[in-house]
Amino acid sequence: MTTLAVAGATGHLGRLVLASLIERGAAPSDIVAIGRDVSKVADFAERGFVVRAADYSRSETVDTALEGVDRLLLISGSEVGRRVTQHSNVVQAAKRAGVQFIAYTSAPHADTTSLALAPEHKATEELVRDSGIPFAILRNNWYTESYVQVAQQAKYTGLIIASLGDGRVASADRRDYAEGAAVVLAGEGHEGAVYEFSGDVAWGYDELARVVSSIVEREVTYKRVSSKEHRKILTKAGLDIGTAGFIVTLDTNTREGALADATNTLSSLIRRPTTPLAEGLAASYAKSMAAQQA
């Protein structure tokens, strides 16, 4: 019997990984769902999953959560600026617990990219490599679900405003990435692998505008602006200077190609095409609207 653990199981991606592990034949009793607020996985506990509370910032809680775990998926934390320390706590706890394999959800081309979010991922990859634990790195491109808010705003404005020019994004659905993670966590032969996970096709914002137009049932146009103009628009809309600057930096990264690398690595592992932009965004948008009306 091999015990599989998902650290970060209480988030959107983590819950989908748990579901995918079951779909692929794992027994609930062999799966440990680890997260800060375990009430978010109470439904999985009712189905027989082992649920353990842990906070990446408190190493003693991670030690307890990893007892008896053989294979671990470390889903990256969400607290930018604190993640290297937090991830180090998990990796060190995994060593103490005798974990035999660790997979980490990283960023696309984390070791070479200019992507603003990459440095913490690059540092964590180094921690994982230096741990001596057999590992796999799962470098996830952007999630299609990230564009639901863009669609919601465009419903009222008819515009998508960005400073990324003709930059392209090889996004995939969160479920696609979750399936890839489940394949690696529960499978064999992934030791030492660095997987660049992405959608099968990279799309630009003109295409995004056409997709959003169909979803919100009104004409939506992509308006290209300069970085300087974009920053002004964002601050005028109420964002603080730091947040506005971060968004503009991400657009600059995208314009320079940081998210454009579409590979078939993910679709090959999950043995199906990744979810197309139009299909994935329409489903996520409908789900979001239904939740708001509930």
Side-chain angles (χ1 to χ4, degrees):
M1 180 184 71
T2 300
T3 301
L4 311 175
V6 178
T10 53
H12 295 298
L13 179 63
R15 286 181 53 85
L16 290 171
V17 174
L18 296 178
S20 185
L21 287 171
I22 291 299
E23 291 170 0
R24 294 180 177 278
S29 59
D30 293 339
I31 304 171
V32 181
I34 300 170
R36 188 178 298 174
D37 181 1
V38 294
S39 66
K40 294 180 179 179
V41 287
D43 53 331
F44 285 98
E46 292 173 357
R47 295 168 61 185
F49 285 69
V50 179
V51 173
R52 297 174 182 171
D55 184 332
Y56 288 178
S57 295
R58 299 173 57 205
S59 57
E60 69 278 8
T61 66
V62 185
D63 279 328
T64 301
L66 293 182
E67 288 180 3
V69 167
D70 298 305
R71 297 174 68 85
L72 169 67
L73 172 65
L74 168 55
I75 296 176
S76 59
S78 59
E79 297 177 81
V80 177
R82 301 183 61 193
R83 292 190 286 191
V84 177
T85 298
Q86 292 175 335
H87 296 164
S88 177
N89 287 340
V90 179
V91 172
Q92 294 305 313
K95 288 178 64 175
R96 290 190 291 270
V99 170
Q100 299 168 17
F101 176 83
I102 182 169
Y104 171 67
T105 60
S106 188
H109 300 287
D111 55 344
T112 58
T113 185
S114 61
L115 189 65
L117 290 169
E120 287 183 303
H121 290 293
K122 178 182 178 181
T124 301
E125 288 188 10
E126 292 171 354
L127 290 171
V128 171
R129 290 177 185 276
D130 292 344
S131 71
I133 301 172
F135 68 89
I137 303 298
L138 316 180
R139 292 177 172 169
N140 293 350
N141 203 301
W142 249 225
Y143 298 154
T144 297
E145 289 87 346
S146 302
Y147 298 92
V148 168
Q149 187 175 4
V150 172
Q152 291 172 337
Q153 293 172 344
K155 179 180 180 180
Y156 298 101
T157 65
L159 289 173
I160 296 174
I161 300 173
S163 53
L164 49 75
D166 294 326
R168 303 182 72 79
V169 181
S171 74
D173 268 21
R174 193 177 277 116
R175 186 177 301 277
D176 298 334
Y177 294 116
E179 287 189 28
V183 169
V184 173
L185 182 62
E188 297 179 353
H190 302 288
E191 289 78 4
V194 178
Y195 292 125
E196 296 289 344
F197 282 171
S198 72
D200 295 333
V201 177
W203 47 265
Y205 266 45
D206 287 317
E207 181 178 352
L208 176 62
R210 289 193 294 271
V211 168
V212 172
S213 294
S214 176
I215 292 171
V216 303
E217 300 180 329
R218 67 167 292 178
E219 184 176 356
V220 174
T221 302
Y222 167 39
K223 180 179 179 180
R224 294 164 169 79
V225 296
S226 68
S227 294
K228 183 177 181 180
E229 185 180 0
H230 195 191
R231 190 177 288 105
K232 288 182 179 179
I233 291 170
L234 293 171
T235 53
K236 187 175 181 179
L239 293 184
D240 62 82
I241 294 175
T243 301
F246 183 70
I247 292 172
V248 171
T249 297
L250 287 178
D251 271 19
T252 300
N253 295 154
T254 305
R255 185 174 66 244
E256 295 171 345
L259 303 176
D261 186 18
T263 75
N264 66 352
T265 303
L266 179 55
S267 56
S268 294
L269 271 180
I270 64 178
R271 298 184 178 181
R272 65 169 176 80
T274 57
T275 308
L277 172 67
E279 178 184 335
L281 187 55
S284 297
Y285 181 84
K287 183 178 180 180
S288 175
M289 297 303 292
Q292 291 180 20
Q293 296 168 7

Coordinates of all heavy atoms in Angstrom, one line a residue, residues 55-138:
D55 N -0.2 24.0 8.4 CA 0.1 25.3 7.9 C 1.5 25.3 7.5 O 2.4 25.0 8.3 CB -0.1 26.3 9.1 CG 0.1 27.8 8.7 OD1 0.8 28.0 7.7 OD2 -0.6 28.7 9.3
Y56 N 1.8 25.7 6.2 CA 3.1 25.7 5.7 C 4.1 26.5 6.6 O 5.3 26.3 6.6 CB 3.2 26.3 4.3 CG 2.6 25.4 3.2 CD1 2.5 25.9 1.9 CD2 2.1 24.1 3.4 CE1 2.0 25.1 0.9 CE2 1.6 23.4 2.4 CZ 1.5 23.8 1.1 OH 1.0 23.1 0.1
S57 N 3.6 27.5 7.3 CA 4.4 28.4 8.1 C 4.8 27.8 9.4 O 5.6 28.3 10.2 CB 3.7 29.7 8.3 OG 3.5 30.4 7.1
R58 N 4.1 26.7 9.8 CA 4.3 26.0 11.1 C 4.8 24.6 10.9 O 4.0 23.7 10.6 CB 3.0 26.0 11.9 CG 2.5 27.4 12.2 CD 1.1 27.4 12.9 NE 1.2 26.6 14.1 CZ 0.1 26.0 14.6 NH1 -1.1 26.0 14.0 NH2 0.2 25.3 15.7
S59 N 6.1 24.5 10.9 CA 6.7 23.2 10.5 C 6.3 22.0 11.4 O 6.2 20.9 10.9 CB 8.3 23.3 10.6 OG 8.7 23.7 11.9
E60 N 5.9 22.3 12.6 CA 5.5 21.2 13.5 C 4.2 20.6 13.0 O 4.0 19.4 13.1 CB 5.4 21.6 15.0 CG 4.3 22.6 15.3 CD 4.6 24.0 15.0 OE1 5.6 24.3 14.4 OE2 3.8 24.9 15.4
T61 N 3.3 21.4 12.4 CA 2.1 20.9 11.9 C 2.3 20.1 10.7 O 1.6 19.1 10.4 CB 1.1 22.0 11.6 OG1 1.5 22.8 10.5 CG2 0.9 22.9 12.8
V62 N 3.3 20.5 9.9 CA 3.6 19.7 8.6 C 4.2 18.4 9.0 O 3.9 17.3 8.4 CB 4.5 20.5 7.7 CG1 4.7 19.8 6.4 CG2 3.9 21.9 7.5
D63 N 5.1 18.4 10.0 CA 5.7 17.1 10.5 C 4.6 16.1 10.8 O 4.6 14.9 10.4 CB 6.5 17.3 11.7 CG 7.9 17.9 11.4 OD1 8.4 17.5 10.4 OD2 8.4 18.6 12.2
T64 N 3.6 16.5 11.5 CA 2.5 15.6 11.9 C 1.7 15.2 10.7 O 1.3 14.0 10.6 CB 1.5 16.3 12.9 OG1 2.3 16.7 14.1 CG2 0.4 15.4 13.3
A65 N 1.4 16.1 9.8 CA 0.6 15.8 8.6 C 1.3 14.8 7.7 O 0.6 14.0 7.0 CB 0.3 17.1 7.9
L66 N 2.6 14.8 7.7 CA 3.3 13.9 6.7 C 3.7 12.5 7.3 O 4.3 11.7 6.6 CB 4.6 14.6 6.2 CG 4.3 15.8 5.3 CD1 5.7 16.4 4.9 CD2 3.4 15.5 4.1
E67 N 3.3 12.2 8.5 CA 3.6 10.9 9.1 C 3.0 9.8 8.2 O 1.8 9.8 7.9 CB 3.0 10.8 10.5 CG 3.8 11.7 11.5 CD 3.2 11.6 12.9 OE1 2.2 10.8 13.1 OE2 3.6 12.3 13.8
G68 N 3.9 8.9 7.8 CA 3.4 7.7 7.0 C 3.2 8.0 5.6 O 2.7 7.1 4.9
V69 N 3.5 9.1 5.1 CA 3.3 9.5 3.7 C 4.5 9.0 2.8 O 5.6 9.1 3.2 CB 3.2 11.0 3.5 CG1 3.2 11.4 2.0 CG2 1.8 11.5 4.1
D70 N 4.1 8.3 1.7 CA 5.1 7.8 0.8 C 5.4 8.8 -0.4 O 6.6 9.0 -0.7 CB 4.7 6.5 0.2 CG 4.5 5.4 1.3 OD1 5.5 5.2 2.0 OD2 3.4 4.8 1.3
R71 N 4.3 9.3 -1.0 CA 4.5 10.2 -2.1 C 3.7 11.5 -1.9 O 2.5 11.4 -1.5 CB 4.0 9.5 -3.4 CG 4.8 8.3 -3.8 CD 4.2 7.5 -4.9 NE 4.3 8.3 -6.2 CZ 5.4 8.3 -7.0 NH1 6.5 7.6 -6.7 NH2 5.4 8.9 -8.1
L72 N 4.3 12.6 -2.1 CA 3.7 13.9 -1.8 C 3.6 14.9 -3.0 O 4.6 15.0 -3.7 CB 4.6 14.6 -0.7 CG 4.3 16.1 -0.3 CD1 3.0 16.2 0.3 CD2 5.4 16.6 0.6
L73 N 2.5 15.5 -3.1 CA 2.3 16.6 -4.0 C 2.3 17.9 -3.2 O 1.5 18.1 -2.4 CB 1.0 16.5 -4.8 CG 0.7 17.7 -5.7 CD1 1.7 17.9 -6.8 CD2 -0.7 17.6 -6.3
L74 N 3.3 18.7 -3.5 CA 3.4 20.0 -2.8 C 2.8 21.1 -3.8 O 3.5 21.5 -4.7 CB 4.8 20.4 -2.4 CG 5.1 21.8 -2.0 CD1 4.3 22.2 -0.8 CD2 6.6 22.0 -1.6
I75 N 1.6 21.5 -3.5 CA 1.0 22.6 -4.3 C 1.5 23.9 -3.7 O 1.4 24.2 -2.5 CB -0.5 22.6 -4.2 CG1 -1.0 21.3 -4.9 CG2 -1.1 23.8 -4.9 CD1 -2.5 21.1 -4.8
S76 N 2.1 24.8 -4.5 CA 2.7 26.0 -4.1 C 1.7 26.9 -3.3 O 0.5 26.9 -3.6 CB 3.3 26.8 -5.2 OG 2.3 27.1 -6.2
G77 N 2.3 27.5 -2.2 CA 1.4 28.4 -1.4 C 1.0 29.7 -2.2 O 1.6 30.0 -3.2
S78 N 0.1 30.4 -1.6 CA -0.4 31.6 -2.2 C 0.1 32.9 -1.7 O -0.2 34.0 -2.2 CB -1.9 31.6 -2.1 OG -2.3 31.6 -0.8
E79 N 0.9 32.8 -0.6 CA 1.4 34.0 0.0 C 2.7 34.5 -0.6 O 3.8 34.1 -0.2 CB 1.6 33.8 1.5 CG 0.3 33.5 2.2 CD 0.4 33.2 3.7 OE1 0.5 34.2 4.5 OE2 0.5 32.0 4.1
V80 N 2.6 35.3 -1.6 CA 3.8 35.8 -2.4 C 4.7 36.5 -1.4 O 4.3 37.4 -0.6 CB 3.4 36.7 -3.5 CG1 4.6 37.3 -4.2 CG2 2.5 35.9 -4.5
G81 N 6.0 36.2 -1.5 CA 7.0 36.8 -0.6 C 7.3 35.9 0.6 O 8.4 36.1 1.2
R82 N 6.5 34.9 0.9 CA 6.7 34.1 2.0 C 6.9 32.6 1.6 O 7.1 31.7 2.4 CB 5.5 34.1 3.0 CG 5.3 35.5 3.6 CD 4.1 35.5 4.6 NE 4.4 34.6 5.7 CZ 3.5 34.2 6.6 NH1 2.3 34.6 6.5 NH2 3.9 33.5 7.6
R83 N 6.7 32.4 0.3 CA 6.6 31.0 -0.1 C 7.9 30.2 0.0 O 7.8 29.0 0.2 CB 6.1 31.0 -1.6 CG 4.7 31.4 -1.7 CD 4.0 31.2 -3.0 NE 4.5 32.1 -4.0 CZ 4.0 32.2 -5.2 NH1 2.9 31.5 -5.6 NH2 4.4 33.1 -6.1
V84 N 9.1 30.8 -0.2 CA 10.3 30.0 -0.1 C 10.5 29.4 1.3 O 10.8 28.2 1.4 CB 11.5 30.8 -0.5 CG1 12.8 30.0 -0.3 CG2 11.4 31.3 -1.9
T85 N 10.2 30.2 2.3 CA 10.3 29.7 3.7 C 9.3 28.7 4.0 O 9.6 27.6 4.6 CB 10.2 30.9 4.7 OG1 11.2 31.8 4.5 CG2 10.2 30.4 6.1
Q86 N 8.1 28.9 3.5 CA 7.0 28.0 3.7 C 7.3 26.6 3.0 O 7.1 25.6 3.6 CB 5.7 28.6 3.2 CG 5.2 29.7 4.1 CD 3.9 30.4 3.5 OE1 3.7 30.3 2.3 NE2 3.2 31.0 4.3
H87 N 7.7 26.7 1.8 CA 8.0 25.5 1.0 C 9.2 24.7 1.6 O 9.2 23.5 1.6 CB 8.2 25.8 -0.4 CG 7.1 26.4 -1.1 ND1 7.2 27.1 -2.3 CD2 5.7 26.5 -0.8 CE1 6.0 27.5 -2.7 NE2 5.1 27.1 -1.8
S88 N 10.1 25.5 2.1 CA 11.3 24.8 2.8 C 10.8 24.0 4.0 O 11.3 22.9 4.2 CB 12.3 25.9 3.2 OG 13.4 25.3 3.9
N89 N 9.9 24.6 4.7 CA 9.3 23.8 5.9 C 8.7 22.5 5.5 O 8.9 21.5 6.1 CB 8.2 24.7 6.6 CG 8.8 25.9 7.4 OD1 10.0 25.9 7.7 ND2 8.0 26.8 7.6
V90 N 8.0 22.5 4.3 CA 7.4 21.3 3.8 C 8.5 20.3 3.4 O 8.4 19.1 3.7 CB 6.4 21.6 2.7 CG1 5.8 20.3 2.2 CG2 5.3 22.5 3.2
V91 N 9.4 20.8 2.6 CA 10.5 19.9 2.1 C 11.3 19.3 3.2 O 11.6 18.1 3.2 CB 11.4 20.7 1.1 CG1 12.6 19.8 0.7 CG2 10.6 21.1 -0.1
Q92 N 11.6 20.1 4.2 CA 12.4 19.5 5.3 C 11.6 18.5 6.1 O 12.1 17.5 6.6 CB 12.9 20.7 6.2 CG 13.9 21.6 5.6 CD 15.1 20.9 5.1 OE1 15.7 20.0 5.8 NE2 15.5 21.2 3.8
A93 N 10.3 18.8 6.3 CA 9.4 17.9 7.0 C 9.3 16.6 6.2 O 9.2 15.5 6.8 CB 8.0 18.5 7.2
A94 N 9.3 16.7 4.9 CA 9.2 15.5 4.0 C 10.4 14.6 4.2 O 10.3 13.4 4.3 CB 9.0 15.9 2.6
K95 N 11.6 15.2 4.4 CA 12.8 14.5 4.6 C 12.7 13.8 5.9 O 13.1 12.6 6.0 CB 14.0 15.4 4.6 CG 14.4 16.0 3.2 CD 15.6 16.9 3.3 CE 16.9 16.3 3.8 NZ 18.0 17.2 3.8
R96 N 12.3 14.5 7.0 CA 12.2 13.9 8.3 C 11.2 12.7 8.3 O 11.3 11.7 9.1 CB 11.8 14.9 9.3 CG 12.9 15.9 9.6 CD 12.5 16.8 10.8 NE 11.4 17.7 10.6 CZ 11.5 18.9 10.1 NH1 12.7 19.4 9.8 NH2 10.5 19.7 9.9
A97 N 10.1 12.8 7.5 CA 9.1 11.8 7.5 C 9.4 10.6 6.6 O 8.7 9.6 6.6 CB 7.8 12.4 7.0
G98 N 10.5 10.7 5.9 CA 10.9 9.6 5.0 C 10.1 9.5 3.7 O 9.9 8.4 3.1
V99 N 9.5 10.6 3.3 CA 8.8 10.7 2.0 C 9.7 10.2 0.9 O 10.9 10.6 0.8 CB 8.2 12.1 1.8 CG1 7.7 12.2 0.4 CG2 7.2 12.5 2.8
Q100 N 9.2 9.4 0.0 CA 10.0 8.8 -1.0 C 9.9 9.5 -2.4 O 10.7 9.2 -3.3 CB 9.6 7.3 -1.2 CG 9.8 6.5 0.1 CD 9.1 5.1 0.0 OE1 8.7 4.6 -1.1 NE2 8.9 4.5 1.2
F101 N 9.0 10.4 -2.5 CA 8.8 11.1 -3.8 C 8.1 12.4 -3.5 O 7.1 12.4 -2.7 CB 8.1 10.2 -4.8 CG 7.8 10.9 -6.1 CD1 8.8 11.0 -7.1 CD2 6.6 11.6 -6.4 CE1 8.5 11.6 -8.3 CE2 6.3 12.2 -7.6 CZ 7.3 12.2 -8.6
I102 N 8.5 13.5 -4.2 CA 7.8 14.8 -4.0 C 7.7 15.4 -5.4 O 8.6 15.5 -6.2 CB 8.6 15.7 -3.0 CG1 7.8 17.0 -2.8 CG2 10.0 15.9 -3.5 CD1 8.4 17.8 -1.7
A103 N 6.4 15.9 -5.7 CA 6.2 16.6 -6.9 C 5.8 18.0 -6.5 O 5.0 18.2 -5.5 CB 5.0 16.0 -7.7
Y104 N 6.3 19.0 -7.2 CA 6.0 20.4 -6.8 C 5.4 21.2 -8.0 O 5.9 21.1 -9.1 CB 7.3 21.1 -6.4 CG 7.2 22.6 -6.2 CD1 6.4 23.1 -5.2 CD2 7.8 23.5 -7.1 CE1 6.2 24.5 -5.1 CE2 7.7 24.8 -7.0 CZ 6.9 25.3 -5.9 OH 6.8 26.7 -5.8
T105 N 4.4 22.0 -7.8 CA 3.7 22.8 -8.8 C 4.5 24.1 -8.9 O 4.4 25.0 -8.0 CB 2.3 23.0 -8.5 OG1 2.1 23.7 -7.3 CG2 1.5 21.7 -8.4
S106 N 5.2 24.3 -10.0 CA 6.0 25.4 -10.2 C 5.4 26.3 -11.3 O 4.3 26.3 -11.6 CB 7.4 25.0 -10.6 OG 8.4 26.0 -10.6
A107 N 6.3 27.2 -11.9 CA 5.9 28.2 -12.9 C 6.6 27.8 -14.2 O 7.7 27.2 -14.2 CB 6.3 29.6 -12.5
P108 N 6.0 28.2 -15.3 CA 6.6 27.9 -16.6 C 8.1 28.4 -16.8 O 8.4 29.6 -16.5 CB 5.7 28.6 -17.7 CG 4.9 29.5 -16.9 CD 4.8 29.0 -15.5
H109 N 9.0 27.5 -17.1 CA 10.4 27.8 -17.3 C 10.9 28.6 -16.2 O 11.6 29.6 -16.3 CB 10.6 28.6 -18.6 CG 10.1 27.8 -19.9 ND1 10.8 26.7 -20.4 CD2 9.0 27.9 -20.6 CE1 10.2 26.3 -21.4 NE2 9.1 27.0 -21.6
A110 N 10.7 28.1 -15.0 CA 11.0 28.9 -13.7 C 12.5 29.2 -13.6 O 12.8 30.2 -13.0 CB 10.5 28.1 -12.5
D111 N 13.3 28.4 -14.2 CA 14.8 28.6 -14.0 C 15.3 29.6 -15.0 O 16.5 30.1 -14.8 CB 15.5 27.3 -14.0 CG 15.3 26.5 -15.3 OD1 14.3 26.8 -16.0 OD2 16.0 25.6 -15.6
T112 N 14.6 30.0 -16.0 CA 15.1 30.9 -17.1 C 14.2 32.0 -17.4 O 14.7 33.0 -18.1 CB 15.4 30.1 -18.4 OG1 14.1 29.5 -18.8 CG2 16.4 29.0 -18.2
T113 N 13.0 32.0 -17.0 CA 12.0 33.0 -17.4 C 12.2 34.4 -16.7 O 12.8 34.5 -15.6 CB 10.6 32.6 -17.1 OG1 9.7 33.5 -17.7 CG2 10.3 32.4 -15.7
S114 N 11.7 35.4 -17.3 CA 11.6 36.8 -16.6 C 10.3 37.0 -15.9 O 10.1 38.0 -15.3 CB 11.8 37.8 -17.7 OG 10.7 37.8 -18.7
L115 N 9.5 36.0 -15.9 CA 8.2 36.1 -15.2 C 8.3 36.5 -13.8 O 9.1 35.9 -13.0 CB 7.5 34.7 -15.3 CG 6.0 34.6 -14.9 CD1 5.1 35.4 -15.8 CD2 5.6 33.2 -14.9
A116 N 7.5 37.5 -13.4 CA 7.7 38.1 -12.1 C 7.5 37.2 -11.0 O 8.0 37.3 -9.9 CB 6.7 39.3 -12.0
L117 N 6.6 36.2 -11.2 CA 6.3 35.2 -10.1 C 7.3 34.1 -10.0 O 7.2 33.3 -9.1 CB 4.9 34.6 -10.4 CG 3.7 35.6 -10.2 CD1 2.4 34.9 -10.7 CD2 3.5 35.9 -8.7
A118 N 8.3 34.0 -10.9 CA 9.1 32.8 -11.0 C 10.2 32.7 -9.9 O 10.5 31.6 -9.6 CB 9.8 32.8 -12.4
P119 N 10.8 33.8 -9.4 CA 11.9 33.6 -8.5 C 11.6 32.7 -7.3 O 12.5 31.8 -6.9 CB 12.3 35.0 -8.0 CG 11.9 35.8 -9.2 CD 10.6 35.2 -9.8
E120 N 10.5 32.8 -6.7 CA 10.2 31.9 -5.5 C 10.0 30.5 -6.0 O 10.4 29.5 -5.2 CB 8.9 32.4 -4.9 CG 9.0 33.7 -4.1 CD 7.8 34.1 -3.3 OE1 6.7 34.2 -4.0 OE2 7.8 34.2 -2.1
H121 N 9.5 30.3 -7.2 CA 9.4 28.9 -7.7 C 10.7 28.3 -8.0 O 11.0 27.2 -7.7 CB 8.5 28.9 -8.9 CG 7.0 29.2 -8.7 ND1 6.2 28.3 -8.0 CD2 6.3 30.2 -9.0 CE1 5.0 28.8 -7.9 NE2 5.0 30.0 -8.5
K122 N 11.6 29.1 -8.6 CA 12.9 28.7 -8.9 C 13.7 28.3 -7.6 O 14.3 27.2 -7.6 CB 13.7 29.8 -9.6 CG 15.2 29.4 -9.9 CD 15.9 30.5 -10.6 CE 17.4 30.1 -10.9 NZ 18.1 31.3 -11.5
A123 N 13.5 29.1 -6.6 CA 14.2 28.8 -5.3 C 13.6 27.5 -4.7 O 14.4 26.7 -4.1 CB 14.0 29.9 -4.4
T124 N 12.3 27.3 -4.8 CA 11.7 26.1 -4.3 C 12.2 24.8 -5.1 O 12.5 23.8 -4.5 CB 10.2 26.2 -4.3 OG1 9.8 27.3 -3.5 CG2 9.6 24.9 -3.7
E125 N 12.3 25.0 -6.4 CA 12.8 23.9 -7.2 C 14.2 23.4 -6.7 O 14.5 22.3 -6.6 CB 12.8 24.2 -8.7 CG 11.5 24.3 -9.4 CD 11.6 24.6 -10.9 OE1 12.7 24.4 -11.4 OE2 10.6 24.8 -11.5
E126 N 15.0 24.4 -6.4 CA 16.3 24.1 -5.9 C 16.3 23.4 -4.5 O 17.1 22.5 -4.3 CB 17.1 25.4 -5.8 CG 17.5 26.0 -7.2 CD 18.0 27.4 -7.1 OE1 18.1 28.0 -5.9 OE2 18.4 28.0 -8.1
L127 N 15.3 23.8 -3.7 CA 15.2 23.2 -2.4 C 14.8 21.7 -2.6 O 15.3 20.8 -1.9 CB 14.1 23.9 -1.6 CG 14.4 25.3 -1.0 CD1 13.1 25.9 -0.4 CD2 15.5 25.2 0.1
V128 N 13.9 21.5 -3.5 CA 13.4 20.1 -3.8 C 14.6 19.3 -4.3 O 14.8 18.1 -3.9 CB 12.2 20.1 -4.8 CG1 11.9 18.7 -5.2 CG2 11.0 20.8 -4.1
R129 N 15.3 19.8 -5.3 CA 16.4 19.1 -5.9 C 17.5 18.8 -4.8 O 18.1 17.7 -4.8 CB 17.1 19.9 -7.0 CG 16.3 20.1 -8.2 CD 17.0 21.0 -9.2 NE 16.2 21.3 -10.4 CZ 16.1 20.5 -11.4 NH1 16.8 19.4 -11.5 NH2 15.4 20.9 -12.5
D130 N 17.8 19.7 -3.9 CA 18.8 19.5 -2.9 C 18.4 18.6 -1.7 O 19.2 18.3 -0.9 CB 19.2 20.9 -2.4 CG 20.0 21.8 -3.4 OD1 20.4 21.2 -4.4 OD2 20.0 23.0 -3.2
S131 N 17.1 18.3 -1.7 CA 16.6 17.5 -0.5 C 17.1 16.1 -0.6 O 17.1 15.4 0.4 CB 15.1 17.5 -0.5 OG 14.6 16.8 -1.6
G132 N 17.4 15.6 -1.8 CA 17.8 14.2 -1.9 C 16.6 13.3 -2.1 O 16.8 12.1 -2.3
I133 N 15.4 13.8 -2.1 CA 14.2 13.1 -2.3 C 13.9 13.0 -3.8 O 14.0 14.0 -4.5 CB 13.0 13.7 -1.6 CG1 13.2 13.8 -0.1 CG2 11.7 12.9 -1.9 CD1 12.1 14.7 0.6
P134 N 13.7 11.8 -4.3 CA 13.3 11.7 -5.7 C 12.1 12.7 -6.0 O 11.2 12.8 -5.2 CB 12.9 10.3 -5.9 CG 13.7 9.5 -4.9 CD 13.7 10.5 -3.7
F135 N 12.2 13.4 -7.2 CA 11.2 14.4 -7.4 C 10.7 14.5 -8.8 O 11.3 13.9 -9.7 CB 11.8 15.8 -7.0 CG 12.9 16.2 -7.9 CD1 12.7 16.9 -9.1 CD2 14.3 15.8 -7.7 CE1 13.7 17.3 -10.0 CE2 15.3 16.1 -8.6 CZ 15.0 16.9 -9.7
A136 N 9.7 15.3 -9.0 CA 9.2 15.8 -10.3 C 8.8 17.2 -10.2 O 8.2 17.6 -9.1 CB 8.1 14.9 -10.9
I137 N 9.1 18.0 -11.2 CA 8.7 19.4 -11.2 C 7.6 19.6 -12.2 O 7.7 19.2 -13.4 CB 9.9 20.4 -11.5 CG1 11.0 20.1 -10.5 CG2 9.4 21.8 -11.5 CD1 10.7 20.5 -9.1
L138 N 6.5 20.2 -11.7 CA 5.3 20.4 -12.6 C 5.2 21.9 -12.8 O 4.6 22.6 -12.0 CB 4.0 19.8 -12.0 CG 4.2 18.4 -11.3 CD1 2.8 18.0 -10.7 CD2 4.6 17.4 -12.3

